Amino acid sequence: MLHTFHKGGVHPPQSKLTASQPIIDIELPRKVVVTFSQHIGAIAVCDLKKGDHVTRGQVIAHAAGFVSTNIHTPISGKVVKLDRCKTAFGHPADTVTIEASDEDHQSDLDAIESLSPVRDDDTAMSLASEELIKIIDDAGIVGLGGATFPTKVKLTPPPGSKADILIVNGVECEPYLTNDHAIMLANSEDIVRGIRLLMRAAKVDRAVVGIEANKPDAIEAMTRAASTCRAIEIMPLKVKYPEGGEKQLIEAVTGREVPSGGLPISVGAIVQNVATALAVSDAVRYGLPLMSRVITVTGPSVKKPGNYRVPIGTDIRSLIDIAGGVPSDVGKIILGGPMMGKAVVSIDAPTIKGVSGILMLPLSMSRRREPEPCIRCGACVDACPMGLEPYLLATLSRFDRWEDCEDNKVMNCIECGSCSYICPAARPILDYIRLGKNKVGAAIKARRAQSK
Amino acid sequence: MNQLLTISASPHIHTSRTVSWCMWQVIVALIPALVCAFYFFGIGAAIVIVTSILGCIATEYFITRYLLRAKPTIANGSAILTGLLLAFNLPSNLPVWIVLIGAVVAIGIGKMPFGGLGCNIFNPALVGRVFLLISFPAQMTTWPLPGENAWNYVDATTGATILGAMKLGELSPDGIDLWAKAVGFAGGSLGEVGAVALLLGLAYMLARRIISWHIPVSIIATVALFSWAIGADPLVQVMSGGLLLGAIFMATDYVTSPMCHRGMLIYGVMIGVITVVIRQWGAYPEGMSFAILIMNGFTPLINRYIKPRRFGERRSSI
């Protein structure tokens, strides 16, 4: 019996069009736009001026506090613009635009060509935990599963708590996305190195890599790469959404339930994505900061769907052009997967660290169905991985009953979308729950501020 | 790219199941019982079923179109299902006008005044049935003997059901041929006669995940256990009357049953207990309809106090 989480879950069609396809390195762009808020936490501070020259891998914005992170430029060049522009979701964001001259471009290509390790494995593995965390911090590494929480924060547990297991997330339960799958095939050795470094940094002596059983080749590659390290276990998991949710994955692997309102560390677990482990390996072994990542560009009518390694800051439109351009029947473009990804308002915006996929859905799949009355079938209650009653929360929220929302644990919702997905009446359950979370979250904050 | 992009919050994909799909799946699950009804009751079954379905559709159409002035909701299949289930709860020689009254009451009182599909407190088909049972007790409790006069709607030979006869002391439990009961050679309402056909329907709905096992299993198990404990024959009790029809198709009605599994178990056990109590000590030979309606009334209360176990509320096992 394969391990899995025990509460709720749904089985959306997997639609992994690009499964097992090799990673394609896209050409180094001549121009990038880098935003300063690519992570959860304080916006990074940029002290560059127009006309400054930067080199590839240089920090262009510094972490502004503990929960924040550095941002690096993926190309050498001149700062041509510092301004506010719109992100793909239409929010304003401070950005810097860097353009490479021919010499800059050539020197970057040479540097990529002649990449060599700055530390061998023995040296890397002899680094102390603090030194490793410093390297990870300097390299601007954030959780690449999508939440973009600064990795160093997760590695420095609050006083009094101690982790005993590192869980590495290679689940990739979102339909369509195959970026983690691709790196597990192409970079399994590097990922295993990254896991060992993360274990050392977090001072844990056991790691489990959870991979859904629909990726047998990735399970095989990772098992082979980890065969020399007995502390790392590769665990195939039963295919079920949202297995890659942090709390669900911890339960699937260890049987421990993160208490309501608690963090993974409260049950002794630290969860990191496989792509994060790869970034850690690159940072420690090659001295490379986080300035590129693998993005799945996909969709039912995309001409050349694939897994592309992309310098972070490349604009979304040129990445889509590489994948064959925007299909003529497009109706919706999503950053991330179809269950939790966000629809964009514009593709003339830069990629950021948290983008795992670009999904283009045809118009026929873009519109929601007309909602019908709730028939109280209980499918949402069955599907909720957090054991909540989505139908009730949605109704309470619809009638502005925020206190009842709070009593019914609206804040436990992880917004996985299983309830809205499964509802036969196509009711916008999660929309109402998000509204409830928003209101209740604000009320809790206000109460805290008052009691201080 | 000249098109406008659609912006909406996640999730961006949706199950292919719809409300009408769910309704039609239940109707599909009723096909074996339907075949049984036609086989045993012939023309009478056809007349009652068609009348009941048309009556329900017409009532719902009339109310949505002319009283509420809203878009008719016939297409979601729920009125058809209510009509079919109502017919399954009626004797096959019931006069057409009584069937029509049942259909009007089911939809016009049991369902639409509460706000239509999803809002009713009581199972509409059972509201119709119980209304008829109380208003026309004689017609509602004479059942044509199955098989004997399939093509005779008006003057069929009639007889009491097993439970009715037992209640009156005319029949001892030893004289019951269970095999006949299992395939349908015993008197009863349209949908009560073929236990095997009903169980086939249950198997189909469980396999397609239309319903979960909690309600039917808890009702059947409770009735069997409770009957056994008070000295009645559990098998006779489970296979007789509307128990299987009720446990599989009536009590599992989405709208009027609890939302979470624990609630469903409580609901099912209580229906079982009330059914046996009415059968054993009540005035009526048959208690399933009343038991379900009573527990329908408790469903909001169950939903309010019985919550699913939330993730993270168990003590962690470190």
Side-chain angles (χ1 to χ4, degrees), chain A residues 16-54:
Chain A
K16 305 258 191 192
L17 311 175
T18 50
S20 306
Q21 278 189 22
I23 297 168
I24 301 163
D25 282 282
I26 75 162
E27 254 178 65
L28 201 63
R30 291 299 192 98
K31 185 182 127 185
V32 292
V33 179
V34 183
T35 71
F36 304 138
S37 180
Q38 308 197 14
H39 49 267
I40 288 181
I43 298 170
V45 182
C46 173
D47 39 23
L48 293 176
K49 289 181 304 296
K50 198 173 160 181
D52 284 355
H53 188 267
V54 292

mmCIF file of all heavy atoms in Angstrom, chain A residues 16-54:
data_model
loop_
_atom_site.group_PDB
_atom_site.id
_atom_site.type_symbol
_atom_site.label_atom_id
_atom_site.label_comp_id
_atom_site.label_asym_id
_atom_site.label_seq_id
_atom_site.Cartn_x
_atom_site.Cartn_y
_atom_site.Cartn_z
ATOM 1 N N LYS A 16 -0.693 15.660 -17.888
ATOM 2 C CA LYS A 16 0.740 15.996 -17.863
ATOM 3 C C LYS A 16 1.299 15.845 -19.278
ATOM 4 O O LYS A 16 1.917 14.833 -19.616
ATOM 5 C CB LYS A 16 1.479 15.084 -16.884
ATOM 6 C CG LYS A 16 0.878 15.103 -15.471
ATOM 7 C CD LYS A 16 1.699 15.944 -14.535
ATOM 8 C CE LYS A 16 1.258 15.753 -13.094
ATOM 9 N NZ LYS A 16 1.824 16.751 -12.194
ATOM 10 N N LEU A 17 1.044 16.858 -20.109
ATOM 11 C CA LEU A 17 1.414 16.779 -21.530
ATOM 12 C C LEU A 17 2.928 16.691 -21.708
ATOM 13 O O LEU A 17 3.425 16.166 -22.692
ATOM 14 C CB LEU A 17 0.905 18.021 -22.274
ATOM 15 C CG LEU A 17 -0.556 18.405 -22.032
ATOM 16 C CD1 LEU A 17 -0.876 19.716 -22.728
ATOM 17 C CD2 LEU A 17 -1.473 17.305 -22.535
ATOM 18 N N THR A 18 3.671 17.254 -20.768
ATOM 19 C CA THR A 18 5.120 17.370 -20.951
ATOM 20 C C THR A 18 5.881 16.419 -20.036
ATOM 21 O O THR A 18 7.062 16.625 -19.775
ATOM 22 C CB THR A 18 5.558 18.816 -20.661
ATOM 23 O OG1 THR A 18 4.993 19.197 -19.398
ATOM 24 C CG2 THR A 18 5.056 19.761 -21.720
ATOM 25 N N ALA A 19 5.204 15.362 -19.553
ATOM 26 C CA ALA A 19 5.849 14.437 -18.631
ATOM 27 C C ALA A 19 7.076 13.792 -19.287
ATOM 28 O O ALA A 19 7.026 13.415 -20.458
ATOM 29 C CB ALA A 19 4.866 13.358 -18.195
ATOM 30 N N SER A 20 8.155 13.712 -18.536
ATOM 31 C CA SER A 20 9.393 13.060 -18.971
ATOM 32 C C SER A 20 10.062 13.758 -20.154
ATOM 33 O O SER A 20 10.979 13.215 -20.754
ATOM 34 C CB SER A 20 9.166 11.590 -19.332
ATOM 35 O OG SER A 20 8.542 10.928 -18.266
ATOM 36 N N GLN A 21 9.592 14.940 -20.530
ATOM 37 C CA GLN A 21 10.310 15.664 -21.583
ATOM 38 C C GLN A 21 11.542 16.320 -20.987
ATOM 39 O O GLN A 21 11.526 16.806 -19.867
ATOM 40 C CB GLN A 21 9.409 16.740 -22.198
ATOM 41 C CG GLN A 21 8.476 16.172 -23.250
ATOM 42 C CD GLN A 21 7.742 17.263 -23.994
ATOM 43 O OE1 GLN A 21 8.192 18.405 -24.020
ATOM 44 N NE2 GLN A 21 6.623 16.905 -24.572
ATOM 45 N N PRO A 22 12.654 16.314 -21.764
ATOM 46 C CA PRO A 22 13.886 16.894 -21.235
ATOM 47 C C PRO A 22 13.751 18.405 -21.041
ATOM 48 O O PRO A 22 12.876 19.035 -21.626
ATOM 49 C CB PRO A 22 14.914 16.580 -22.318
ATOM 50 C CG PRO A 22 14.108 16.411 -23.558
ATOM 51 C CD PRO A 22 12.801 15.828 -23.129
ATOM 52 N N ILE A 23 14.655 18.942 -20.218
ATOM 53 C CA ILE A 23 14.637 20.386 -19.983
ATOM 54 C C ILE A 23 15.317 21.085 -21.153
ATOM 55 O O ILE A 23 16.367 20.659 -21.617
ATOM 56 C CB ILE A 23 15.386 20.718 -18.680
ATOM 57 C CG1 ILE A 23 14.662 20.064 -17.491
ATOM 58 C CG2 ILE A 23 15.492 22.219 -18.488
ATOM 59 C CD1 ILE A 23 15.463 20.081 -16.210
ATOM 60 N N ILE A 24 14.692 22.151 -21.628
ATOM 61 C CA ILE A 24 15.301 22.942 -22.703
ATOM 62 C C ILE A 24 15.813 24.241 -22.090
ATOM 63 O O ILE A 24 15.037 24.983 -21.471
ATOM 64 C CB ILE A 24 14.264 23.249 -23.803
ATOM 65 C CG1 ILE A 24 13.721 21.931 -24.379
ATOM 66 C CG2 ILE A 24 14.864 24.130 -24.881
ATOM 67 C CD1 ILE A 24 12.432 22.102 -25.150
ATOM 68 N N ASP A 25 17.135 24.500 -22.253
ATOM 69 C CA ASP A 25 17.678 25.772 -21.776
ATOM 70 C C ASP A 25 17.326 26.838 -22.798
ATOM 71 O O ASP A 25 17.668 26.700 -23.973
ATOM 72 C CB ASP A 25 19.198 25.675 -21.634
ATOM 73 C CG ASP A 25 19.581 24.942 -20.371
ATOM 74 O OD1 ASP A 25 19.527 25.557 -19.300
ATOM 75 O OD2 ASP A 25 19.908 23.735 -20.462
ATOM 76 N N ILE A 26 16.618 27.886 -22.379
ATOM 77 C CA ILE A 26 16.320 28.924 -23.357
ATOM 78 C C ILE A 26 17.542 29.828 -23.498
ATOM 79 O O ILE A 26 18.410 29.892 -22.616
ATOM 80 C CB ILE A 26 15.061 29.746 -23.010
ATOM 81 C CG1 ILE A 26 15.321 30.730 -21.862
ATOM 82 C CG2 ILE A 26 13.884 28.844 -22.702
ATOM 83 C CD1 ILE A 26 14.265 31.823 -21.813
ATOM 84 N N GLU A 27 17.623 30.503 -24.632
ATOM 85 C CA GLU A 27 18.753 31.404 -24.881
ATOM 86 C C GLU A 27 18.776 32.506 -23.839
ATOM 87 O O GLU A 27 17.723 32.998 -23.424
ATOM 88 C CB GLU A 27 18.603 32.039 -26.262
ATOM 89 C CG GLU A 27 19.557 31.485 -27.286
ATOM 90 C CD GLU A 27 19.300 32.145 -28.614
ATOM 91 O OE1 GLU A 27 19.511 33.372 -28.707
ATOM 92 O OE2 GLU A 27 18.847 31.438 -29.537
ATOM 93 N N LEU A 28 19.979 32.913 -23.454
ATOM 94 C CA LEU A 28 20.101 33.981 -22.466
ATOM 95 C C LEU A 28 19.513 35.266 -23.060
ATOM 96 O O LEU A 28 19.903 35.689 -24.139
ATOM 97 C CB LEU A 28 21.579 34.181 -22.120
ATOM 98 C CG LEU A 28 21.874 34.875 -20.807
ATOM 99 C CD1 LEU A 28 21.360 34.059 -19.638
ATOM 100 C CD2 LEU A 28 23.359 35.136 -20.675
ATOM 101 N N PRO A 29 18.526 35.865 -22.404
ATOM 102 C CA PRO A 29 17.922 37.066 -22.990
ATOM 103 C C PRO A 29 18.875 38.264 -22.928
ATOM 104 O O PRO A 29 19.789 38.298 -22.094
ATOM 105 C CB PRO A 29 16.687 37.288 -22.117
ATOM 106 C CG PRO A 29 17.007 36.644 -20.818
ATOM 107 C CD PRO A 29 17.938 35.506 -21.119
ATOM 108 N N ARG A 30 18.668 39.243 -23.810
ATOM 109 C CA ARG A 30 19.485 40.467 -23.811
ATOM 110 C C ARG A 30 18.926 41.488 -22.819
ATOM 111 O O ARG A 30 19.579 42.453 -22.487
ATOM 112 C CB ARG A 30 19.493 41.093 -25.214
ATOM 113 C CG ARG A 30 20.242 40.287 -26.249
ATOM 114 C CD ARG A 30 21.702 40.165 -25.843
ATOM 115 N NE ARG A 30 22.502 39.649 -26.945
ATOM 116 C CZ ARG A 30 23.217 40.413 -27.763
ATOM 117 N NH1 ARG A 30 23.247 41.725 -27.607
ATOM 118 N NH2 ARG A 30 23.911 39.868 -28.731
ATOM 119 N N LYS A 31 17.674 41.254 -22.416
ATOM 120 C CA LYS A 31 17.054 42.232 -21.521
ATOM 121 C C LYS A 31 16.212 41.488 -20.484
ATOM 122 O O LYS A 31 15.505 40.542 -20.829
ATOM 123 C CB LYS A 31 16.149 43.154 -22.342
ATOM 124 C CG LYS A 31 15.536 44.282 -21.543
ATOM 125 C CD LYS A 31 14.618 45.114 -22.425
ATOM 126 C CE LYS A 31 13.253 45.229 -21.785
ATOM 127 N NZ LYS A 31 12.267 45.904 -22.618
ATOM 128 N N VAL A 32 16.355 41.868 -19.234
ATOM 129 C CA VAL A 32 15.482 41.297 -18.211
ATOM 130 C C VAL A 32 14.857 42.416 -17.382
ATOM 131 O O VAL A 32 15.427 43.510 -17.272
ATOM 132 C CB VAL A 32 16.219 40.329 -17.245
ATOM 133 C CG1 VAL A 32 16.655 39.065 -17.960
ATOM 134 C CG2 VAL A 32 17.379 41.022 -16.557
ATOM 135 N N VAL A 33 13.691 42.127 -16.831
ATOM 136 C CA VAL A 33 13.052 43.037 -15.892
ATOM 137 C C VAL A 33 12.923 42.261 -14.583
ATOM 138 O O VAL A 33 12.326 41.194 -14.551
ATOM 139 C CB VAL A 33 11.663 43.473 -16.391
ATOM 140 C CG1 VAL A 33 11.004 44.411 -15.386
ATOM 141 C CG2 VAL A 33 11.774 44.129 -17.750
ATOM 142 N N VAL A 34 13.531 42.787 -13.535
ATOM 143 C CA VAL A 34 13.539 42.055 -12.273
ATOM 144 C C VAL A 34 12.723 42.829 -11.243
ATOM 145 O O VAL A 34 12.925 44.028 -11.063
ATOM 146 C CB VAL A 34 14.990 41.839 -11.778
ATOM 147 C CG1 VAL A 34 14.984 41.017 -10.512
ATOM 148 C CG2 VAL A 34 15.823 41.173 -12.854
ATOM 149 N N THR A 35 11.768 42.131 -10.596
ATOM 150 C CA THR A 35 10.979 42.815 -9.566
ATOM 151 C C THR A 35 11.584 42.514 -8.192
ATOM 152 O O THR A 35 12.300 41.536 -8.015
ATOM 153 C CB THR A 35 9.505 42.366 -9.582
ATOM 154 O OG1 THR A 35 9.442 41.031 -9.079
ATOM 155 C CG2 THR A 35 8.934 42.388 -10.978
ATOM 156 N N PHE A 36 11.274 43.364 -7.228
ATOM 157 C CA PHE A 36 11.914 43.260 -5.914
ATOM 158 C C PHE A 36 11.060 42.497 -4.912
ATOM 159 O O PHE A 36 11.450 42.312 -3.768
ATOM 160 C CB PHE A 36 12.228 44.660 -5.371
ATOM 161 C CG PHE A 36 13.075 45.452 -6.319
ATOM 162 C CD1 PHE A 36 12.821 46.783 -6.566
ATOM 163 C CD2 PHE A 36 14.129 44.835 -6.987
ATOM 164 C CE1 PHE A 36 13.598 47.504 -7.456
ATOM 165 C CE2 PHE A 36 14.904 45.548 -7.882
ATOM 166 C CZ PHE A 36 14.647 46.885 -8.120
ATOM 167 N N SER A 37 9.877 42.084 -5.330
ATOM 168 C CA SER A 37 9.041 41.320 -4.414
ATOM 169 C C SER A 37 8.681 40.003 -5.085
ATOM 170 O O SER A 37 7.655 39.867 -5.720
ATOM 171 C CB SER A 37 7.772 42.100 -4.069
ATOM 172 O OG SER A 37 7.000 41.320 -3.184
ATOM 173 N N GLN A 38 9.586 39.044 -4.959
ATOM 174 C CA GLN A 38 9.377 37.749 -5.585
ATOM 175 C C GLN A 38 9.178 36.684 -4.530
ATOM 176 O O GLN A 38 9.282 35.499 -4.794
ATOM 177 C CB GLN A 38 10.594 37.379 -6.435
ATOM 178 C CG GLN A 38 11.006 38.441 -7.405
ATOM 179 C CD GLN A 38 11.909 37.888 -8.485
ATOM 180 O OE1 GLN A 38 12.032 36.700 -8.659
ATOM 181 N NE2 GLN A 38 12.566 38.770 -9.208
ATOM 182 N N HIS A 39 8.962 37.095 -3.298
ATOM 183 C CA HIS A 39 8.940 36.152 -2.183
ATOM 184 C C HIS A 39 7.926 36.627 -1.160
ATOM 185 O O HIS A 39 7.445 37.751 -1.223
ATOM 186 C CB HIS A 39 10.332 36.116 -1.545
ATOM 187 C CG HIS A 39 10.869 37.494 -1.264
ATOM 188 N ND1 HIS A 39 11.665 38.159 -2.164
ATOM 189 C CD2 HIS A 39 10.648 38.339 -0.241
ATOM 190 C CE1 HIS A 39 11.950 39.372 -1.682
ATOM 191 N NE2 HIS A 39 11.339 39.504 -0.515
ATOM 192 N N ILE A 40 7.632 35.750 -0.197
ATOM 193 C CA ILE A 40 6.797 36.160 0.925
ATOM 194 C C ILE A 40 7.683 36.923 1.900
ATOM 195 O O ILE A 40 8.788 36.495 2.201
ATOM 196 C CB ILE A 40 6.181 34.922 1.610
ATOM 197 C CG1 ILE A 40 5.116 34.338 0.696
ATOM 198 C CG2 ILE A 40 5.614 35.259 2.980
ATOM 199 C CD1 ILE A 40 4.408 33.136 1.265
ATOM 200 N N GLY A 41 7.228 38.065 2.351
ATOM 201 C CA GLY A 41 8.018 38.841 3.296
ATOM 202 C C GLY A 41 8.288 40.231 2.761
ATOM 203 O O GLY A 41 7.701 40.670 1.763
ATOM 204 N N ALA A 42 9.215 40.939 3.436
ATOM 205 C CA ALA A 42 9.481 42.333 3.096
ATOM 206 C C ALA A 42 10.085 42.450 1.694
ATOM 207 O O ALA A 42 10.870 41.599 1.262
ATOM 208 C CB ALA A 42 10.425 42.941 4.134
ATOM 209 N N ILE A 43 9.700 43.517 1.007
ATOM 210 C CA ILE A 43 10.215 43.772 -0.343
ATOM 211 C C ILE A 43 11.708 44.093 -0.260
ATOM 212 O O ILE A 43 12.150 44.875 0.592
ATOM 213 C CB ILE A 43 9.446 44.955 -0.977
ATOM 214 C CG1 ILE A 43 7.971 44.583 -1.108
ATOM 215 C CG2 ILE A 43 10.035 45.335 -2.315
ATOM 216 C CD1 ILE A 43 7.082 45.744 -1.486
ATOM 217 N N ALA A 44 12.495 43.461 -1.150
ATOM 218 C CA ALA A 44 13.938 43.685 -1.128
ATOM 219 C C ALA A 44 14.257 45.122 -1.543
ATOM 220 O O ALA A 44 13.506 45.743 -2.296
ATOM 221 C CB ALA A 44 14.618 42.693 -2.057
ATOM 222 N N VAL A 45 15.376 45.631 -1.027
ATOM 223 C CA VAL A 45 15.736 47.034 -1.260
ATOM 224 C C VAL A 45 16.808 47.127 -2.338
ATOM 225 O O VAL A 45 17.847 46.475 -2.260
ATOM 226 C CB VAL A 45 16.276 47.674 0.037
ATOM 227 C CG1 VAL A 45 16.594 49.135 -0.194
ATOM 228 C CG2 VAL A 45 15.265 47.517 1.154
ATOM 229 N N CYS A 46 16.548 47.955 -3.324
ATOM 230 C CA CYS A 46 17.500 48.118 -4.419
ATOM 231 C C CYS A 46 18.192 49.468 -4.278
ATOM 232 O O CYS A 46 17.536 50.483 -4.082
ATOM 233 C CB CYS A 46 16.739 48.057 -5.744
ATOM 234 S SG CYS A 46 17.773 48.441 -7.151
ATOM 235 N N ASP A 47 19.554 49.495 -4.322
ATOM 236 C CA ASP A 47 20.223 50.802 -4.271
ATOM 237 C C ASP A 47 20.989 51.095 -5.565
ATOM 238 O O ASP A 47 21.955 51.850 -5.567
ATOM 239 C CB ASP A 47 21.113 50.923 -3.020
ATOM 240 C CG ASP A 47 21.834 49.641 -2.722
ATOM 241 O OD1 ASP A 47 22.005 48.844 -3.676
ATOM 242 O OD2 ASP A 47 22.219 49.412 -1.562
ATOM 243 N N LEU A 48 20.565 50.491 -6.647
ATOM 244 C CA LEU A 48 21.192 50.788 -7.937
ATOM 245 C C LEU A 48 20.664 52.110 -8.477
ATOM 246 O O LEU A 48 19.585 52.567 -8.103
ATOM 247 C CB LEU A 48 20.866 49.677 -8.943
ATOM 248 C CG LEU A 48 21.456 48.298 -8.671
ATOM 249 C CD1 LEU A 48 20.947 47.305 -9.700
ATOM 250 C CD2 LEU A 48 22.969 48.354 -8.674
ATOM 251 N N LYS A 49 21.476 52.710 -9.354
ATOM 252 C CA LYS A 49 21.014 53.915 -10.050
ATOM 253 C C LYS A 49 21.006 53.619 -11.536
ATOM 254 O O LYS A 49 21.657 52.688 -12.012
ATOM 255 C CB LYS A 49 21.971 55.075 -9.773
ATOM 256 C CG LYS A 49 21.891 55.595 -8.354
ATOM 257 C CD LYS A 49 22.825 56.762 -8.130
ATOM 258 C CE LYS A 49 24.288 56.478 -8.457
ATOM 259 N NZ LYS A 49 24.918 55.449 -7.593
ATOM 260 N N LYS A 50 20.274 54.420 -12.245
ATOM 261 C CA LYS A 50 20.233 54.269 -13.696
ATOM 262 C C LYS A 50 21.649 54.446 -14.243
ATOM 263 O O LYS A 50 22.388 55.334 -13.810
ATOM 264 C CB LYS A 50 19.312 55.346 -14.272
ATOM 265 C CG LYS A 50 18.870 55.033 -15.670
ATOM 266 C CD LYS A 50 17.816 56.032 -16.131
ATOM 267 C CE LYS A 50 17.758 56.000 -17.653
ATOM 268 N NZ LYS A 50 16.789 56.948 -18.183
ATOM 269 N N GLY A 51 22.055 53.565 -15.138
ATOM 270 C CA GLY A 51 23.381 53.670 -15.730
ATOM 271 C C GLY A 51 24.406 52.781 -15.048
ATOM 272 O O GLY A 51 25.482 52.544 -15.596
ATOM 273 N N ASP A 52 24.108 52.268 -13.855
ATOM 274 C CA ASP A 52 25.030 51.355 -13.167
ATOM 275 C C ASP A 52 25.229 50.093 -14.002
ATOM 276 O O ASP A 52 24.335 49.658 -14.715
ATOM 277 C CB ASP A 52 24.458 50.939 -11.801
ATOM 278 C CG ASP A 52 24.597 52.043 -10.775
ATOM 279 O OD1 ASP A 52 25.224 53.070 -11.116
ATOM 280 O OD2 ASP A 52 24.067 51.878 -9.664
ATOM 281 N N HIS A 53 26.427 49.540 -13.874
ATOM 282 C CA HIS A 53 26.698 48.285 -14.569
ATOM 283 C C HIS A 53 26.654 47.134 -13.567
ATOM 284 O O HIS A 53 27.193 47.236 -12.477
ATOM 285 C CB HIS A 53 28.057 48.332 -15.265
ATOM 286 C CG HIS A 53 28.286 47.143 -16.138
ATOM 287 N ND1 HIS A 53 28.931 46.027 -15.693
ATOM 288 C CD2 HIS A 53 27.935 46.900 -17.425
ATOM 289 C CE1 HIS A 53 28.956 45.116 -16.658
ATOM 290 N NE2 HIS A 53 28.363 45.635 -17.734
ATOM 291 N N VAL A 54 25.961 46.066 -13.915
ATOM 292 C CA VAL A 54 25.906 44.908 -13.008
ATOM 293 C C VAL A 54 26.422 43.682 -13.743
ATOM 294 O O VAL A 54 26.361 43.618 -14.973
ATOM 295 C CB VAL A 54 24.460 44.638 -12.520
ATOM 296 C CG1 VAL A 54 23.986 45.747 -11.605
ATOM 297 C CG2 VAL A 54 23.505 44.453 -13.690
#
